[in-house]
Amino acid sequence: MDTMMIEVSDVTKSFGATRALDGVSFAVPRGTVLGLLGHNGAGKTTVVGILSTLSLPTSGEARVAGLDVTRNAEEVRRRIGLTGQYAAVDETLSGHANLVLIARLLGASRAQAAARAEELLELFSLTDAAPRKVKGYSGGMRRRLDLAAGLVGQPEVIFLDEPTTGLDPSARRDLWSVVKRLVHNGTTVLLTTQYLDEADFLADSITVLSSGRVIASGTAAELKDRVGHRSVSVTLRDAQDRPRAVRALEAAGLAPAHEQDGLVLTMPVKDSTDLAGVVRASDEAGVELAGLAFSEPSLDDVYMALNHSGAH
Amino acid sequence: MTTTTSPPALTKAPAHPPSPRFSGSGVLRQITVLSGRSLRVLREPAMVLPGVLEPILMLTVFSQVFKSVSQTSSFPPGVSYIDYLLPAFLVTSSISAGLKSGVALTTEMNNGIVSRFKAMPIHTGSVLVGRSIADTMLNVVNLIVMLAAATLVFGYGPEGGVLGSLGAALIAVVLGWSLGWLFMALSAWLRRPESLQPIGGMVNMVLLFASNAFVPADGLPGWLKAVAEVNPMSHAITAARDLALGDPDPGTILATLLCCLVLVVVTVPLAIRSFRRAT
């Protein structure tokens, strides 16, 4: 499992005077998901373009499955699946015909191609829509077909470039569960996203890109630790209790904050054991609570914090 | 976020990591599959009909509007206007067909299908060759429909007979094929769909009217006649028209075919090179 399926070392990419990537390095072990997180223009898509052999790095080295993307482009292409912003399907063909087309191009016989297409359509719950033209597909169906198209050749490495951008929440969830299943069988995935919850949910580790540089990397938990905004919020039963509750919590060494006339008091804490302190203080002050919640920092917080410290 | 979502456990070391499922395909397979993809439109009347109807509509309009041209002194005596006009129409339709190759390529380069192909283990040139073959075959179908309609509806029946007309159509097809490569090279180089269509359309329009397509060059005002005489389209039209009218000039025909061939030899590598580089 120590085999690195993607290795990027000190890659730069310039478009004329603009530097889209400025010394990017990261590695993805086999069978894991790396979330490449960043806003528009951070360089995520440029990274995918280079790794999928669509464009050449200006300098530096990139390897996929141990193969150099510049020198062994042809071999790399045999091992990758590309989906997302870059790659699309043919709208004028049916879902089935699209997958057959790709399988045929990869060398499958007619029978093999049809079998593979049916297998994938089934996996992506597209069997009913298979004979219909892609033009009439919903956004979620189209993304699923797009993903299926990238999987026809059973690639070792998959690039998912912003796979859920523009999808409604339920379609996003559907796609996520498909990706989960995929990783389960050992496929290595590079996922680019602007959605922090997506990286949090799907990725084993996260690399944060900003203006063409890696500004942080680690697991979601590590990144959250670095920012450390854990908090507890309590919801009061009665707004009249608020001054009493605030006094009691402050006496317990906490710093509750609340909105004007709000029933909710929020305070930063070190870890979940502080929950007990909050409950005890409220209880002793005779304040009745309607709700209690502990929250981890969201990746939004992490991203904001890192971006502020990383942007010079 | 008010709930604690711990990332679900993932299997890190799979028993059977995936390996490429298929062994790859040869260039011939790639070209057949890709041209077959573009030819699928033939199965859909709704997609084919506009392409067929447009030239027929144009033919109707032009054969009526310019009919009086055949009474002018510069017009070859004893030739009906439809016999004179149709070979030119075969040529101009083929030029439009060539332009369509370029426009279609630009569209696919921008909507992502081409990127998918380029990230696959296939020869990049196959994508272009496949399109060229498909578009040429569609043009052949189109020209046959035009010839049939002209014969049945407008009384087309030139001196050169069926062979002459087929010869004229062949010249047109070769021209459309070579211009298809030119426009694909331009498309791969320019990359933007909004630029190729107007540029191509404009060039097409100028070439069309400053030529002998609708009236003999001798009947044009002096400056326009000068343009028409150097206009390569005029030469292609002359070659096709002479064939249809049963008075072929081997020199013009050879020159036209040679020009087309040179164009292809020059533009194919350019198209493939730009296409490979474009992302």
Side-chain angles (χ1 to χ4, degrees), chain A residues 168-190:
Chain A
D168 63 57
S170 81
R172 287 182 77 196
R173 285 276 161 185
D174 285 351
L175 203 84
W176 286 1
S177 68
V178 171
V179 174
K180 278 281 186 212
R181 248 181 296 162
L182 210 75
V183 198
H184 218 71
N185 65 21
T187 311
T188 308
V189 177
L190 177 74

Side-chain angles (χ1 to χ4, degrees), chain A residues 1 30-32 52-55 74 77-80 82 86-90 93 97 101-102 104-108 112 116 119 133 146 149-150 152-156 180 184-187 200 204 293-296 298, chain B residues 1-5 7-14 16-25 29-31 33-34 37 40-41 44 47 108 111-124 276-279:
Chain A
M1 80 153 272
R30 183 192 288 277
T32 65
S52 57
T53 78
L54 291 176
S55 63
E74 191 68 22
R77 289 183 198 131
R78 301 176 67 83
R79 292 169 167 78
I80 60 170
L82 176 63
Y86 266 130
V89 287
D90 192 333
L93 301 183
L101 172 83
I102 289 167
R104 292 285 287 152
L105 287 174
L106 291 173
Q112 286 173 325
R116 182 64 175 147
E119 193 183 329
K133 284 224 189 77
D146 195 43
V152 171
Q154 207 165 294
E156 292 163 77
K180 278 281 186 212
H184 218 71
N185 65 21
T187 311
D200 196 0
D204 296 293
F294 174 69
S295 61
E296 296 273 0
S298 75
Chain B
M1 264 212 277
T2 46
T3 49
T4 312
T5 30
L10 294 169
T11 312
K12 295 283 165 59
H16 302 289
S19 56
R21 182 143 172 159
F22 304 114
S23 54
S25 60
R29 156 85 71 91
Q30 293 161 17
I31 292 172
V33 169
L34 288 168
R37 172 182 80 103
R40 268 173 184 262
V41 290
E44 292 170 57
M47 302 275 284
E108 295 206 327
N111 71 13
I113 297 172
V114 157
S115 295
R116 177 174 313 278
F117 291 148
K118 285 168 87 175
M120 285 174 67
I122 59 173
H123 193 278
T124 26
R276 194 171 282 154
R277 284 187 181 172
T279 43

Side-chain angles (χ1 to χ4, degrees), chain B residues 27 31 53 55 68 78 87 108 119 124 128 134 137 163-164 181 185 188 220 226 259 273:
Chain B
V27 172
I31 292 172
L53 283 183
S68 57
E108 295 206 327
T124 26
L128 300 183
M137 285 170 77
L163 269 182
W181 278 105
L220 295 169
C259 281
R273 216 171 71 125

Side-chain angles (χ1 to χ4, degrees), chain A residues 56-309:
Chain A
L56 298 173
T58 306
S59 71
E61 203 183 32
R63 288 174 172 276
V64 172
L67 298 155
D68 187 285
V69 293
T70 310
R71 283 186 295 259
N72 301 96
E74 191 68 22
E75 278 301 304
V76 169
R77 289 183 198 131
R78 301 176 67 83
R79 292 169 167 78
I80 60 170
L82 176 63
T83 67
Q85 281 196 25
Y86 266 130
V89 287
D90 192 333
E91 285 200 330
T92 64
L93 301 183
S94 70
H96 187 268
N98 263 295
L99 299 183
V100 167
L101 172 83
I102 289 167
R104 292 285 287 152
L105 287 174
L106 291 173
S109 70
R110 272 174 217 282
Q112 286 173 325
R116 182 64 175 147
E118 274 142 36
E119 193 183 329
L120 285 167
L121 289 163
E122 173 86 45
L123 179 69
F124 289 86
S125 320
L126 286 168
T127 307
D128 291 342
R132 298 210 315 264
K133 284 224 189 77
V134 175
K135 208 176 287 176
Y137 280 24
S138 71
M141 287 160 71
R142 194 179 288 232
R143 293 299 171 84
R144 294 207 300 275
L145 182 68
D146 195 43
L147 187 49
L151 295 178
V152 171
Q154 207 165 294
E156 292 163 77
V157 177
I158 293 173
F159 301 108
L160 296 175
D161 195 19
E162 306 207 0
T164 63
T165 302
L167 290 188
D168 63 57
S170 81
R172 287 182 77 196
R173 285 276 161 185
D174 285 351
L175 203 84
W176 286 1
S177 68
V178 171
V179 174
K180 278 281 186 212
R181 248 181 296 162
L182 210 75
V183 198
H184 218 71
N185 65 21
T187 311
T188 308
V189 177
L190 177 74
L191 163 88
T192 79
T193 183
Q194 324 190 29
Y195 300 122
L196 314 152
D197 54 338
E198 186 160 284
D200 196 0
F201 185 76
L202 291 175
D204 296 293
S205 63
I206 295 172
T207 290
V208 187
L209 269 189
S210 178
S211 312
R213 288 164 184 271
V214 174
I215 55 167
S217 49
T219 63
E222 283 165 4
L223 292 181
K224 286 172 178 175
D225 271 348
R226 217 186 279 185
V227 178
H229 287 318
R230 288 192 167 103
S231 63
V232 168
S233 24
V234 294
T235 309
L236 306 173
R237 180 85 60 198
D238 186 346
Q240 290 191 334
D241 286 344
R242 198 175 55 227
R244 202 143 39 94
V246 169
R247 270 197 306 278
L249 289 166
E250 279 171 352
L254 297 159
H258 61 87
E259 296 196 357
Q260 191 73 37
D261 301 325
L263 282 172
V264 180
L265 300 176
T266 305
M267 63 224 82
V269 295
K270 277 199 204 64
D271 55 50
S272 48
T273 55
D274 286 341
L275 265 175
V278 173
V279 176
R280 205 179 312 119
S282 312
D283 197 36
E284 282 166 4
V287 175
E288 212 182 327
L289 299 182
L292 178 69
F294 174 69
S295 61
E296 296 273 0
S298 75
L299 270 168
D300 269 312
D301 299 330
V302 178
Y303 187 50
M304 294 293 271
L306 291 171
N307 238 344
H308 284 303
S309 62

Side-chain angles (χ1 to χ4, degrees), chain B:
Chain B
M1 264 212 277
T2 46
T3 49
T4 312
T5 30
S6 58
L10 294 169
T11 312
K12 295 283 165 59
H16 302 289
S19 56
R21 182 143 172 159
F22 304 114
S23 54
S25 60
V27 172
L28 201 65
R29 156 85 71 91
Q30 293 161 17
I31 292 172
T32 355
V33 169
L34 288 168
S35 52
R37 172 182 80 103
S38 308
L39 282 173
R40 268 173 184 262
V41 290
L42 280 178
R43 295 186 195 174
E44 292 170 57
M47 302 275 284
V48 184
L49 224 53
V52 172
L53 283 183
E54 194 198 304
I56 291 177
L57 205 71
M58 293 265 285
L59 199 61
T60 315
V61 171
F62 277 87
S63 65
Q64 302 309 306
V65 171
F66 291 104
K67 210 170 190 168
S68 57
V69 171
S70 60
Q71 265 95 59
T72 57
S73 58
S74 54
F75 199 80
V79 174
S80 80
Y81 187 61
I82 185 74
D83 290 354
Y84 180 85
L85 182 66
L86 193 80
F89 254 89
L90 298 178
V91 171
T92 57
S93 301
S94 300
I95 293 170
S96 304
L99 180 59
K100 266 182 211 147
S101 285
V103 173
L105 183 67
T106 317
T107 308
E108 295 206 327
M109 284 174 72
N110 283 281
N111 71 13
I113 297 172
V114 157
S115 295
R116 177 174 313 278
F117 291 148
K118 285 168 87 175
M120 285 174 67
I122 59 173
H123 193 278
T124 26
S126 303
V127 179
L128 300 183
V129 175
R131 169 154 299 287
S132 172
I133 289 175
D135 287 347
T136 303
M137 285 170 77
L138 288 172
N139 190 28
V140 167
V141 172
N142 220 357
L143 297 191
I144 288 172
V145 171
M146 270 177 76
L147 279 169
T151 308
L152 296 173
V153 183
F154 299 99
Y156 171 72
E159 280 296 294
V162 175
L163 269 182
S165 291
L166 288 181
L170 189 67
I171 298 245
V173 168
V174 171
L175 180 75
W177 167 67
S178 63
L179 286 176
W181 278 105
L182 173 71
F183 286 119
M184 283 198 292
L186 276 174
S187 148
W189 182 55
L190 291 168
R191 286 175 222 180
R192 290 190 303 276
E194 65 275 16
S195 48
L196 187 68
Q197 181 87 61
I199 291 174
M202 209 165 63
V203 171
N204 202 359
M205 190 61 118
V206 171
L207 286 177
L208 190 62
F209 283 97
S211 81
N212 60 356
F214 309 119
V215 296
D218 285 339
L220 295 169
W223 66 273
L224 202 55
K225 183 185 168 196
V227 177
E229 274 171 356
V230 293
N231 182 348
M233 198 193 260
S234 295
H235 295 285
I237 290 171
T238 303
R241 182 174 282 152
D242 289 352
L243 266 166
L245 295 179
D247 181 24
D249 170 25
T252 319
I253 295 169
L254 267 176
T256 304
L257 293 179
L258 200 68
C259 281
C260 292
L261 206 65
V262 169
L263 189 62
V264 168
V265 169
V266 173
T267 51
V268 166
L270 285 178
I272 293 179
R273 216 171 71 125
S274 310
F275 181 68
R276 194 171 282 154
R277 284 187 181 172
T279 43

